[in-house]
């Protein structure tokens, strides 16, 4: 499959009062056409910042993309002037967010909010845009689309609002849909419906999905390719089957172990001991070393690089480097 | 909606009744009256006058008479000016309204624009400059700015007249009259605008900063909308919503005149009349005016509630 997006060495930093924080630290990965890539990791590992960096929406005062390259369909997103990027945003790359309840403008009718990208990117007039908006509302499985188009966000449930967000996102047939924890705020039955819907649109529209989540259940259900992030770095990546069957990095192993298994009752669910390190106090080391059960002396002083292992998986861990050194 | 309105109107009547009682009793129980201050009168003449004006009757009875007259459209008779209070209001309030309307309009327009830009470019040199200017404007007293501007622009440079509404002895009519009034009102309007601008700009700036952090602004940007559209279609409307409360307060301010500004610029407005009447203990006029402001305040509050209903779909009355 062809590469749709190729990210190389992306770094995004935030300047805070306490100092500079590298929220995304030399992250590289690819998204192929028609593929679903999942970024997994705990809160604060840089998943969402990666997404915002792709969109060019890193909050201006304080945060900025410090380096790297994002090649999207042959164009360099980071070197682009703001107007060209704006024409891509919402058009070729669309995004949906975690909180559907607060992601729509409370004083604007649903219909108008769906019409906006149609009028900006596809240059439809008001009448055409309205018709298309109603079609889109039907497409995301909401009844009485006319009535919904004239209602306000507070009159709809969270699940319906996320469907509306999806309608807005797919309105211009994007090549890439970035979904930042799209189901986290919804209850389980609605979660499944939303994920099914995303899969359906992916299949029919041929778009790629970059799905950001901390829910391994969602990953197993959706992903073709998985990227595991920790403290702003990619620690492991690989195909979903390989990664679930044969995780390499101790962090990935820990994540998989802490996932509850249906039908199995345990007194206590496994959790990785400790917490994500303070991004201000990172030193050259494996950032996971103090939580790692297989920590080696070298892990405390040097940072492992992402390396291709057998089976096409990649991991950044000294366990595998050491093995090579010993051989 | 209509049941809500009926209920609100009933509440308004109760509040106004309580306000009228309070206003009347406070003024009526203040020691001394219009007659006390006149040292040329003999004690017998004073008693006679009190009898004529009905000032010797018990307070509640006087309140009853006052209210009864008010319901018949008679808000009292100014003792000092020897004119009906309503007629005096009509003579003076529109002058005050002219100043207040122009300066309120300018204040809101400038505050919204500066507040929005300042919030959008938070911590930029523009924002810093605005914040310094706001604090300067807020910490200077009105009489100081007023007198300072008179000294510079009117006395030294002679660009603008120092006070009054028309040039003394002028009989200009039509366009010439209009031009004269505009020249005279320039200074007081500038001072009033400066005074109101500080707090209102800060208010809009902080509202806008809050709104710009909201998720729906991120969504609007993610749709690929132009920044101008994000700011003015999505952010501004939400940032303006809380300001509706202020609209309610602006109503009495529009007609209430300004005690200090009108005094400094010798503007023939209701504020000046009010101050003068205080010195003369012209209670019918003072009571009438206070009651008038109370009515406007209550109406303003109702107005702002209705405006909320119109502007914010989440508000149901």
């Amino acid at each position: 499959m062809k590469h749709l997006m190729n990210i190389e060495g992306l770094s995004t930093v935030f300047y805070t009062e306490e100092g500079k924080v590298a929220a995304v630290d030399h992250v590289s990965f690819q998204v192929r056409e028609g593929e679903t890539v999942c970024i997994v990791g705990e809160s604060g590992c840089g998943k969402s910042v990666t997404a915002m960096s792709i969109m060019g929406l890193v909050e201006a005062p304080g945060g900025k993309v410090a380096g790297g390259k994002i090649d999207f369909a042959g164009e360099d997103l980071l070197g682009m002037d703001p107007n060209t990027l704006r024409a891509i945003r919402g058009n070729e790359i669309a995004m949906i967010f975690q909180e559907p309840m607060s992601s729509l403008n409370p004083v604007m009718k649903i219909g108008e909010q769906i019409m906006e990208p149609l009028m900006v990117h596809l240059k439809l007039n008001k009448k055409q845009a309205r018709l298309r908006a109603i079609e889109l509302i039907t497409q995301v499985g909401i009844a009485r689309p006319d009535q919904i188009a004239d209602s306000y966000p507070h009159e709809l449930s969270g699940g319906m609002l996320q469907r509306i967000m999806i309608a807005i996102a797919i309105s211009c047939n994007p090549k890439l849909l970035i979904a930042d924890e799209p189901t986290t705020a919804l209850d389980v039955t609605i979660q499944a419906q939303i994920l099914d819907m995303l899969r359906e649109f992916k299949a029919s529209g041929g778009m790629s999905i970059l799905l950001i989540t901390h829910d391994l259940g969602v990953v197993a259900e959706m992903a073709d390719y998985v990227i595991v992030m920790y403290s702003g770095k990619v620690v492991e990546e690989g195909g979903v089957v390989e990664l679930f069957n044969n995780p390499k990095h101790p962090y990935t192993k820990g994540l998989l172990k802490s996932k509850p298994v249906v039908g199995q009752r345990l007194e206590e669910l496994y959790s990785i001991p400790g917490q994500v390190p303070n991004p201000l106090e990172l030193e050259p080391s494996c950032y996971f070393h103090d939580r790692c059960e297989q920590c080696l002396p070298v892990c405390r002083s040097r940072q492992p690089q992402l390396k291709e292992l057998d089976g096409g998986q990649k991991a950044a861990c000294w366990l595998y480097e050491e093995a090579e050194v010993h051989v | 909606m209509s049941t809500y309105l009926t209920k609100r109107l009933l509440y308004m009547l109760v509040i106004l009744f309580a306000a009228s009682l309070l206003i009347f009793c406070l003024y009526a129980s203040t020691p001394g009256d219009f007659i006390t201050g006149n040292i040329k009168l003999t004690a017998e003449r004073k008693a006679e006058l009190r009898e004529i004006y009905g000032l010797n009757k018990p307070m509640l009875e006087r309140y009853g008479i006052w209210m009864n007259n008010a319901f018949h459209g008679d808000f009292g008779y100014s003792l000092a000016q020897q004119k009906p209070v309503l007629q005096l209001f009509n003579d003076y309030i529109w002058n005050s309204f002219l100043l207040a309307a122009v300066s309120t309009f300018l204040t809101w327009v400038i505050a919204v624009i500066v507040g929005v830009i300042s919030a959008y470019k938070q911590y930029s040199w523009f924002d810093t400059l605005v914040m310094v200017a706001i604090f300067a404007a807020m910490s200077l007293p009105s009489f100081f700015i007023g007198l300072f501007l008179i000294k510079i622009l009117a006395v030294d440079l002679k660009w603008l007249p120092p006070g009054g509404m028309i040039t003394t002895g002028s009989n200009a009519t039509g366009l010439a009259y209009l031009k004269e009034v505009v020249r005279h009102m320039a200074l007081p309007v500038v001072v009033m605008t400066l005074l109101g601008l500080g707090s209102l700009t800060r208010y809009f700036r902080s509202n806008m900063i809050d709104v710009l952090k909201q998720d729906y602004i991120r969504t609007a940007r993610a749709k690929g909308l132009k920044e101008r559209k994000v700011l003015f279609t999505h952010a501004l409307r939400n940032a303006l919503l809380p300001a509706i409360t202020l609209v309610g307060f602006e109503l009495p301010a529009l007609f209430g005149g300004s005690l200090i500004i009108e005094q400094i610029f010798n503007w023939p407005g209701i504020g000046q009349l009010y101050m003068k009447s205080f010195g003369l203990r012209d209670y019918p006029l003072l009571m009438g005016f206070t009651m008038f402001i109370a009515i406007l305040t209550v109406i303003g509050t109702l107005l702002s509630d209705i405006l909320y209903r119109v502007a914010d779909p989440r508000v149901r009355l």
Side-chain angles (χ1 to χ4, degrees):
Chain A
M1 274 188 285
K2 253 177 70 188
H3 283 174
L4 175 66
M5 181 167 68
N6 190 359
I7 296 181
E8 250 171 72
L10 177 70
S11 294
T12 303
V13 293
F14 286 90
Y15 297 93
T16 67
E17 274 169 27
E18 290 91 41
K20 186 172 124 180
V21 174
V24 175
D25 188 3
H26 292 93
V27 163
S28 304
F29 63 89
Q30 288 88 37
V31 179
R32 290 175 195 83
E33 278 177 11
E35 185 184 49
T36 302
V37 174
C38 279
I39 304 183
V40 210
E42 281 165 282
S43 310
C45 72
K47 296 171 297 194
S48 298
V49 179
T50 306
M52 295 315 269
S53 306
I54 298 169
M55 293 294 281
L57 291 177
V58 176
E59 297 290 320
K64 89 171 207 262
V65 176
K69 252 175 77 179
I70 302 178
D71 178 273
F72 177 80
E75 288 178 283
D76 179 20
L77 292 186
L78 292 180
M80 208 173 258
D81 75 285
N83 285 323
T84 323
L85 182 61
R86 197 177 298 132
I88 291 180
R89 216 189 277 152
N91 187 11
E92 291 176 51
I93 307 178
M95 187 161 179
I96 56 177
F97 302 96
Q98 183 171 347
E99 293 287 343
M101 300 294 226
S102 57
S103 291
L104 288 163
N105 189 337
V107 298
M108 208 176 192
K109 286 181 180 158
I110 299 281
E112 288 174 56
Q113 303 198 45
I114 304 178
M115 282 155 66
E116 275 181 335
L118 295 168
M119 287 157 72
V120 171
H121 298 303
L122 305 184
K123 312 278 181 246
L124 300 188
N125 64 31
K126 247 191 160 140
K127 220 170 153 189
Q128 295 167 320
R130 162 108 191 162
L131 286 175
R132 180 80 187 107
I134 288 170
E135 261 174 51
L136 282 163
I137 299 175
T138 320
Q139 258 180 302
V140 293
I142 300 177
R144 301 177 287 111
D146 286 283
Q147 219 174 320
I148 296 295
D150 285 324
S151 49
Y152 288 96
H154 72 277
E155 296 166 317
L156 271 62
S157 69
M160 279 167 108
L161 289 175
Q162 196 60 297
R163 285 163 194 259
I164 297 295
M165 285 299 290
I166 293 175
I168 293 173
I170 62 164
S171 62
C172 301
N173 293 317
K175 291 185 186 146
L176 175 67
L177 174 69
I178 303 176
D180 187 357
E181 310 228 9
T183 55
T184 307
L186 306 172
D187 65 59
V188 188
T189 46
I190 309 291
Q191 273 186 23
Q193 290 172 7
I194 295 286
L195 292 177
D196 281 345
M197 184 169 291
L198 286 179
R199 247 196 317 238
E200 221 173 89
F201 286 126
K202 188 194 114 179
S204 61
M207 63 183 181
S208 308
I209 296 180
L210 180 63
L211 181 66
I212 293 164
T213 181
H214 60 251
D215 185 340
L216 288 166
V218 172
V219 176
E221 207 173 318
M222 299 287 292
D224 298 314
Y225 198 79
V226 186
I227 291 157
V228 184
M229 279 184 78
Y230 188 80
S231 276
K233 282 197 145 317
V234 175
V235 293
E236 180 163 4
E237 60 173 273
V240 65
V241 181
E242 295 81 40
L243 198 116
F244 269 72
N245 287 342
N246 188 14
K248 298 287 188 192
H249 198 281
Y251 177 63
T252 319
K253 288 180 190 168
L255 277 183
L256 288 168
K257 240 171 110 179
S258 43
K259 181 180 173 322
V261 180
V262 177
Q264 187 183 336
R265 268 171 194 265
L266 295 172
E267 277 299 308
E268 205 176 328
L269 198 58
Y270 174 81
S271 67
I272 306 174
Q275 275 164 359
V276 185
N278 181 346
L280 286 162
E281 291 161 5
L282 291 177
E283 278 166 21
S285 65
C286 172
Y287 297 153
F288 188 61
H289 74 88
D290 53 349
R291 300 172 74 184
C292 183
E293 287 167 353
Q294 292 162 282
C295 183
L296 303 167
V298 66
C299 300
R300 298 178 200 283
S301 56
R302 281 172 62 200
Q303 196 164 51
Q305 295 304 312
L306 200 63
K307 270 196 100 162
E308 188 149 350
L309 308 173
D310 45 300
Q313 242 159 300
K314 291 181 190 171
C317 180
W318 285 117
L319 287 172
Y320 305 100
E321 302 266 346
E322 288 292 280
E324 272 171 32
V325 172
H326 287 307
V327 168
Chain B
M1 181 77 185
S2 64
T3 45
Y4 171 81
L5 272 184
T6 334
K7 220 161 83 181
R8 274 303 294 269
L9 287 172
L10 279 176
Y11 285 152
M12 270 171 68
L13 286 181
V14 175
I15 291 170
L16 285 178
F17 169 73
S20 68
L21 194 64
L22 197 69
I23 288 167
F24 188 91
C25 292
L26 278 177
Y27 278 116
S29 35
T30 321
D33 52 35
F34 178 63
I35 297 152
T36 324
N38 195 338
I39 49 168
K40 281 184 258 172
L41 299 175
T42 59
E44 296 83 54
R45 180 66 186 144
K46 280 183 180 172
E48 222 174 273
L49 280 173
R50 285 213 175 87
E51 179 75 42
I52 294 170
Y53 290 142
L55 291 174
N56 54 353
K57 294 198 175 93
M59 200 190 285
L60 275 181
E61 195 188 331
R62 283 163 56 200
Y63 173 73
I65 295 169
W66 184 61
M67 279 305 275
N68 188 32
N69 288 343
F71 275 117
H72 292 94
D74 173 11
F75 277 86
Y77 195 81
S78 163
L79 301 174
Q81 317 276 330
Q82 293 296 322
K83 277 182 191 167
V85 167
L86 273 184
Q87 192 198 321
L88 283 168
F89 285 177
N90 197 29
D91 290 348
Y92 284 88
I93 276 181
W94 297 111
N95 296 341
S96 292
F97 178 76
L98 183 65
L99 282 191
V102 174
S103 69
T104 306
F105 176 76
L106 286 177
T107 310
W108 278 70
V109 170
I110 299 173
V112 167
I113 295 173
V114 175
V116 166
I117 298 175
S118 212
Y120 184 62
K121 300 198 178 276
Q122 198 185 356
Y123 306 133
S124 66
W125 63 266
F126 176 81
D127 184 39
T128 315
L129 202 73
V130 166
M131 291 312 274
V132 171
I134 282 172
F135 278 111
M138 281 171 78
S139 24
L140 290 173
S142 56
F143 61 85
F144 175 77
I145 303 184
L147 293 175
F148 184 71
L149 288 184
I150 290 177
K151 160 85 175 118
I152 302 283
L153 296 178
V155 178
D156 292 351
L157 295 172
K158 296 194 168 47
W159 286 352
L160 292 166
M165 192 163 157
I166 46 169
T167 315
T168 320
S170 153
N171 332 307
T173 48
L175 216 61
Y177 173 77
L178 190 75
K179 209 181 138 199
E180 215 167 84
V181 173
V182 168
R183 269 174 60 77
H184 278 83
M185 66 188 277
L187 272 182
V189 162
V190 165
V191 174
M192 282 169 82
T193 307
L194 276 178
L195 289 174
L197 202 54
S199 54
L200 208 61
T201 306
R202 256 167 64 88
Y203 185 75
F204 283 125
R205 179 181 176 270
S206 69
N207 281 354
M208 197 68 182
I209 286 173
D210 284 347
V211 168
L212 284 176
K213 284 187 194 132
Q214 298 295 317
D215 289 350
Y216 54 81
I217 296 300
R218 189 182 57 185
T219 307
R221 288 197 172 125
K223 282 181 189 170
L225 301 183
K226 291 208 167 70
E227 276 301 293
R228 193 159 35 91
K229 200 143 190 251
V230 173
L231 273 184
F232 292 101
T233 315
H234 286 270
L236 187 59
R237 183 146 174 226
N238 283 287
L240 285 180
L241 281 179
I244 290 175
T245 313
L246 299 182
V247 173
F249 296 129
E250 291 289 1
L251 189 68
L254 277 177
F255 295 93
S258 165
L259 299 182
I260 297 170
I261 301 292
E262 286 175 10
Q263 206 64 239
I264 293 173
F265 292 98
N266 193 26
W267 188 264
I270 192 80
Q272 237 197 65
L273 179 70
Y274 189 67
M275 281 302 278
K276 205 160 69 187
S277 308
F278 246 117
L280 297 169
R281 306 196 208 185
D282 190 357
Y283 291 137
L285 190 137
L286 297 176
M287 285 191 286
F289 183 69
T290 315
M291 196 57 213
F292 175 64
I293 294 298
I295 294 171
L296 286 179
T297 308
V298 174
I299 294 176
T301 319
L302 178 68
L303 202 70
S304 72
D305 283 359
I306 293 172
L307 271 178
Y308 262 120
R309 164 76 172 72
V310 175
D312 190 340
R314 287 164 296 183
V315 175
R316 286 278 166 271
L317 300 180

